[in-house]
Amino acid sequence: MNPLALLFLIAGLGLIGWLTGRARAQRIDRGGAKRLHSLPSQHGWYVATWAVLPALLFVAVWASLSPSLVRDAVLEHPAAKQLPQFEFERDALLAEAKRVAEDPDAKAFDPLAAELAPATRAAENRYNWMGSAVAILLAFAGGLFAWSRIRAQLKARSQVERIVMLLLLVASLIAILTTLGIFLSLLWESLRFFEQVPITDFLFGTHWSPQVIEASNPGKSLGAVPLFWGTFFIGAVIAMLVAIPFGLMSAIYLTQYAAPRVRAWMKPTLEMLAGVPTVVYGYFAALTVAPAVRDLAVHLGMPFASSESALAAGLVMGVMIIPFVSSMADDSIAAVPTAMRDGSLAMGATHSETISRVLLPAALPGVVAGVLLAVSRAIGETMIVVMAASGAANITLNPFESATTVTKQIVDLLTGEAEFDSPKTLAAFALGLTLFVITLLLNIVALRVVKKYREAYE
Amino acid sequence: MNKPAPEAAPARAPTDWKTEAMQKRIRRRYARERRFKLFGMLAVILSAAFLAFLLFTMVTNGWRGFTRTEIALPLDFPAMAMKIDPAQLSTPGANLALAGAELEDKVSNAALAAYGAQSVPLLSDAAWLKVREALKADPSLLHQKKLLWVPASTQVEQGLRGNDAAAAPLAKKLYDAGKLHTGFNAGFFSESDSTDPVAVGIWGAFKGSLLTMAVTFLIAFPIGVLSAIYLEEYAPKNRWTDLIEVSINNLAAVPSIIFGLLGLAVFLGSWSLFGMRVGPLLPRSAALVGGVTLALMIMPVIVIASRNAIKGVPPSIRDAALGIGASRIQVVFHHVLPLAMPGILTGTIIGMARALGETAPLLLIGMRAFIVTPPGGFTDPATVLPVQIFLWSDEVSRGFVEKTSAAILVLLVFLLAMNGLAIYLRNKFETRW
């Protein structure tokens, strides 16, 4: 059965359960012998929950199990003996058989896949019907069970509320599961990578060229230092050279100098910079900024300047970060007590002296934390560097030369056609793990800085 | 400084502000003040100017992506002698039948007959498709001669726009002869990807975006709101709750590409569990896996916004509801949640806007395929608008630059509308207690 239809059917059964449960409770109520413990609609919810929840749980489990059951059934087929032993090819053939089985218009390129298609279709049908039947049975059984339990003393409300409470808890656990999922999956794939490539080669090697990997010594061309340098150079140096002065000065101007009407218009305008999708920045960097930067470099006497320079990507990335730095600075300046500002002005200091000698030092922890968060965002930024930075891994101090970043290499490594277990693909996960750990550390340090120094004035 | 001077300091003469030195010093301080203010103003103006320049570039490059140049093509259908039955044209097999009758070749022959051999192609790859649709709409055409306007090739189009020097003289000549006209490109909103920049459209990618956003919303909104309710209203203060809080705050700062790696490893990878091979859990390249991945990414945004909205509901509301006998669940679902809804919705829309503009994680889970037919459902291979922009941006031809910028304009309009809606909601329903 079509999964959507099945879900609708289960929901329909839940609705029926709600109606019948409520009706039964109302009848008991009208009988008048005893007062109901819960309202009739709460009895309805009780029955509906029993009808829907077990069935849905079953559908979820079944959906994740049935593909492998189908696979096992297909492998039993006599023709499956001819399948290649190599897993990658075998999976491709099975996937093709599945596609042919599901889509009547599709044609199989491989005769073996065509032969396996009917078996696949049969197995899929069988397990599909089996699963749908059990799910519907479960819905009926659950609903009936709950319906039969309805009586005046039934604490329907407390029971339903307990389930709702459980649901809330489960929902909030998903955040932990996601964090764990990220960490474990990155760690798992990275460990497989480090089985093939020594971790010291990866972390301290200075030569990165994944296009040519020697099978005997893959670590030789998978040294990530150039990537770390490029990431740091583009994200933490060039981008910050743009974002910090512009972000800080615009926050100061908008909070301290600008007329309320100017502020009301300019603040959302600057925030629009943060709302522009990164792919748009990337396109702009590649189309407009990068050629301009190259022309500038040629003008400055570097005839072979790269059109994928670190400067172009860093500049645009810096502009993207401006509103981020600006709003963090805005918040921390606003948190400085007015008395300090007024005191300084009363002593005869000018506005700029008050800002640079009183407000900024007081707001410094917040500003530093904001800058750290901005760095963490910049080094995790992907599309700008994918579109505007180069793939050549150089260690250079010249912003007009090309540099590459961790995120760009992750995308490059994973979007080529490569099998899943090669060191090349797994390297992407090791890079991802490094990126994850560094951004996490930056965030933790930023939070610490804020917590430790902020309370001075509160 | 801290200790007061032990003995009375000698009385200081009051500063004479009128001396030359003091005046100079004050002037210098005021000049520095003005410079400082000017720097601030410059920072704001330059940032805004960058935004304006970006938009200006996109509009100047992109507005022509919404137009299309068409060429007049006289077609003599009876002379084509196609072996085809007019009745066949209204059946579902019409496309196949017309392809079998070599309509594509006959259309290019018609162009050759009308304009002679030229150094550049005249017709777009999509021209014969337009003839096909015309024939399907009116089968009686098979017995007529007819002049149809069909999309011109990208070279002719760019020649007419002065971007292709090789084709410019020809395009100019055709235009002066009234054989070319440029009009609104409706195909841009109804077609999908193609190799020919004249024939591309955003509908396929847009539909992919819609499907992906639907999945994202259906997952992220309930989970985000429910966990916000739990954390804000019920959670006891203990280690677990702290752990949940820390995870949510960290997830909000994790780079988006990491979520792509998560999706690739967890939803698309396969592993063995108790001897059984499990996975891949979700089909590759589909709106479903993209939506789930983006949902995990924006869930923290929704949780944080919802918590703030729930926090804003005053405790007196809860006390009043509890006082007249509501249970703790009823307090939240009947009273707190409806009052917090505008804030929650604002946060959700902002999160959805972020998901709509996101590209990087989707590249890793295979949503970068060349999608010619729009996805029919959640499990079909699909792409989304930002990824489509990324794919087109790799093409060097001038025609694709126009289409990329045009697609960017469409995306920006949608994001602007979503953010505008969020601001409107916030202003309209914001309650000060």
Side-chain angles (χ1 to χ4, degrees), chain A residues 182-204 208 210 218-219 221-225 227-228 231 405-411 413-414 420-439, chain B residues 255 257-258 260-262 264-265 364:
Chain A
I182 288 176
F183 190 65
L184 289 183
S185 60
L186 290 181
L187 195 66
W188 177 250
E189 307 287 348
S190 303
L191 285 179
R192 282 169 62 197
F193 174 70
F194 292 131
E195 274 169 17
Q196 300 178 26
V197 177
I199 187 166
T200 45
D201 282 8
F202 174 72
L203 283 183
F204 304 116
W208 178 269
S221 48
L222 288 175
V225 170
L227 311 191
F228 298 150
T231 310
T405 70
V406 170
T407 47
K408 158 123 181 136
Q409 290 300 320
I410 292 177
V411 171
L413 289 172
L414 286 177
F420 205 69
D421 281 349
S422 74
K424 199 173 147 183
T425 331
L426 291 174
F429 285 92
L431 288 175
L433 182 66
T434 323
L435 184 65
F436 179 69
V437 169
I438 290 176
T439 49
Chain B
I257 192 167
I258 300 284
L261 289 173
L262 171 78
L264 183 64
L364 300 192

Side-chain angles (χ1 to χ4, degrees), chain A residues 106-457:
Chain A
K107 285 211 181 65
F109 296 107
D110 194 290
L112 195 55
E115 205 174 330
L116 285 175
T120 312
R121 191 180 307 139
E124 273 184 352
N125 275 339
R126 192 165 67 242
Y127 285 116
N128 188 353
W129 280 111
M130 221 187 267
S132 309
V134 174
I136 292 166
L137 264 181
L138 266 179
F140 264 112
L144 260 176
F145 167 75
W147 185 78
S148 70
R149 282 183 29 137
I150 289 179
R151 47 185 57 89
Q153 307 93 308
L154 177 73
K155 295 180 173 163
R157 181 170 108 175
S158 340
Q159 299 224 10
V160 170
E161 291 192 345
R162 206 170 304 150
I163 290 172
V164 171
M165 215 52 163
L166 200 70
L167 215 65
L168 293 180
L169 182 64
V170 168
S172 60
L173 284 183
I174 287 182
I176 292 191
L177 282 182
T178 312
T179 310
L180 266 184
I182 288 176
F183 190 65
L184 289 183
S185 60
L186 290 181
L187 195 66
W188 177 250
E189 307 287 348
S190 303
L191 285 179
R192 282 169 62 197
F193 174 70
F194 292 131
E195 274 169 17
Q196 300 178 26
V197 177
I199 187 166
T200 45
D201 282 8
F202 174 72
L203 283 183
F204 304 116
T206 54
H207 179 64
W208 178 269
S209 58
Q211 295 80 14
V212 275
I213 296 181
E214 279 176 50
S216 55
N217 181 13
K220 209 177 121 194
S221 48
L222 288 175
V225 170
L227 311 191
F228 298 150
W229 169 252
T231 310
F232 176 76
F233 190 48
I234 293 179
V237 179
I238 300 178
M240 288 306 126
L241 283 180
V242 177
I244 295 175
F246 277 80
L248 206 55
M249 285 313 287
S250 51
I252 288 171
Y253 182 76
L254 288 180
T255 53
Q256 306 294 325
Y257 289 108
R261 274 191 44 184
V262 175
R263 180 178 157 84
W265 276 100
M266 288 315 286
K267 204 166 146 55
T269 310
L270 289 194
E271 275 166 7
M272 268 173 69
L273 279 173
V276 174
T278 53
V279 68
V280 177
Y281 279 119
Y283 186 59
F284 183 68
L287 186 77
T288 311
V289 181
V293 166
R294 201 205 38 205
D295 292 348
L296 176 69
V298 171
H299 202 70
L300 290 179
M302 277 172 276
F304 301 108
S306 163
S307 64
E308 298 180 314
S309 58
L311 187 60
L315 276 179
V316 175
M317 194 186 278
V319 172
M320 186 191 81
I321 306 278
I322 288 176
F324 194 77
V325 175
S326 165
S327 78
M328 297 294 278
D330 195 337
D331 289 348
S332 40
I333 290 174
V336 177
T338 343
M340 290 176 69
R341 179 168 172 250
D342 294 347
S344 165
L345 289 176
M347 297 291 285
T350 60
H351 271 290
S352 61
E353 286 161 353
T354 307
I355 291 162
S356 55
R357 306 215 181 140
V358 177
L359 291 186
L360 275 187
L364 200 59
V367 173
V368 169
V371 168
L372 287 179
L373 290 178
V375 170
S376 123
R377 173 162 297 202
I379 65 176
E381 166 48 40
T382 310
M383 289 322 289
I384 293 177
V385 286
V386 164
M387 295 166 85
S390 118
N394 294 327
I395 302 184
T396 172
L397 263 173
N398 181 353
F400 293 106
E401 269 186 54
S402 56
T404 192
T405 70
V406 170
T407 47
K408 158 123 181 136
Q409 290 300 320
I410 292 177
V411 171
D412 282 0
L413 289 172
L414 286 177
T415 48
E417 295 296 325
E419 62 260 56
F420 205 69
D421 281 349
S422 74
K424 199 173 147 183
T425 331
L426 291 174
F429 285 92
L431 288 175
L433 182 66
T434 323
L435 184 65
F436 179 69
V437 169
I438 290 176
T439 49
L440 202 65
L441 285 180
L442 279 174
N443 288 319
I444 291 173
V445 171
L447 287 182
R448 272 282 163 81
V449 168
V450 170
K451 238 185 202 150
K452 190 157 176 206
Y453 296 102
R454 189 171 262 177
E455 281 151 27
Y457 302 112

Side-chain angles (χ1 to χ4, degrees), chain B residues 292-310:
Chain B
V292 174
T293 308
L294 291 181
L296 293 181
M297 190 185 88
I298 66 163
M299 195 186 65
V301 179
I302 298 180
V303 174
I304 293 170
S306 306
R307 287 188 70 173
N308 286 334
I310 291 172

Side-chain angles (χ1 to χ4, degrees), chain A residues 43-64:
Chain A
H43 283 91
W45 281 115
Y46 176 70
V47 177
T49 313
W50 266 101
V52 170
L53 220 53
L56 278 189
L57 281 179
F58 175 78
V59 169
V61 173
W62 192 252
S64 55

